[in-house]
């Protein structure tokens, strides 16, 4: 059995990974807080943060194959299929088979989905500004770059 002293030393040595001080826990907490704010802002529109992500993909390139949306958002098919079902029921998107490859379903925005492109980004921008309150432009850029590097390290 390890001595109390060696157990204490191990805890001190690994303090940087223990919750709530660990960076992974704090990143998770940040994600949850941002998601909570985003959900509050999207509730009046009857949308979820996942709907927001799908809309963002389609605003950048309408008519994407379902698989491309899944790849961009790093989501599994079943999860995305359910989200697309609900978005289609709400009249935000429609599915259409690709005429060149009938195995592929493309997702297209409806007029209602396109209209949200003018309404939602300013609302989400407010959350971004709140999140980065007190950060200089350089610090904002550095934070973004550091997060990108961490994602790349684990991908």
């Amino acid at each position: 059995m390890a001595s109390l002293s060696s157990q204490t030393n191990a805890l001190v040595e690994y303090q940087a990974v223990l919750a709530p001080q660990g960076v992974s826990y704090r990143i998770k907490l940040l994600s949850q807080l941002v998601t909570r704010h985003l959900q509050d802002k999207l509730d009046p529109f009857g949308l979820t943060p996942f709907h927001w992500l799908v809309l963002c993909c389609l605003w950048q390139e309408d008519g994407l194959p379902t698989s491309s949306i899944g790849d961009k958002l790093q989501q599994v098919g079943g999860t995305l299929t359910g989200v697309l079902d609900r978005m289609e029921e709400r009249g935000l998107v429609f599915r259409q088979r690709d005429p060149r490859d009938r195995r592929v379903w493309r997702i297209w925005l409806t007029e209602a989905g396109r209209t949200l492109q003018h309404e939602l980004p300013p609302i989400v921008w407010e959350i971004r500004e709140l999140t980065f309150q007190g950060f200089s432009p350089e610090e904002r850029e550095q934070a973004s770059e550091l997060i990108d590097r961490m994602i790349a390290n684990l991908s």
Side-chain angles (χ1 to χ4, degrees), residues 17-57:
V17 298
L18 299 176
Q21 298 88 356
V23 71
S24 297
Y25 174 81
R26 291 182 293 145
I27 290 171
K28 176 184 174 284
L29 179 59
L30 175 62
S31 174
Q32 288 174 327
L33 291 168
V34 169
T35 299
R36 187 175 304 144
H37 280 274
L38 180 57
Q39 184 62 64
D40 289 345
K41 297 291 187 178
L42 295 175
D43 274 346
F45 296 90
L47 300 173
T48 68
F50 202 161
H51 294 139
W52 160 254
L53 295 173
V54 172
L55 288 168
C56 288
C57 287

Side-chain angles (χ1 to χ4, degrees), residues 123-133 140:
I123 293 169
V124 177
W125 186 265
E126 291 174 20
I127 298 169
R128 178 187 186 273
E129 290 304 298
L130 178 62
T131 303
F132 283 106
Q133 188 174 2
R140 291 173 183 222

Side-chain angles (χ1 to χ4, degrees), residues 124-155:
V124 177
W125 186 265
E126 291 174 20
I127 298 169
R128 178 187 186 273
E129 290 304 298
L130 178 62
T131 303
F132 283 106
Q133 188 174 2
F135 283 63
S136 70
E138 295 79 19
E139 289 171 322
R140 291 173 183 222
E141 181 63 30
Q142 184 179 25
S144 180
E145 289 172 2
L146 292 172
I147 290 168
D148 286 346
R149 283 175 48 196
M150 286 187 271
I151 291 168
N153 288 343
L154 295 173
S155 293

Side-chain angles (χ1 to χ4, degrees), residues 81-96:
T81 300
V83 169
L84 292 172
D85 287 345
R86 288 183 291 286
M87 292 179 77
E88 194 167 29
E89 289 166 8
R90 295 250 353 271
L92 300 173
V93 299
F94 67 93
R95 293 176 173 108
Q96 188 174 51

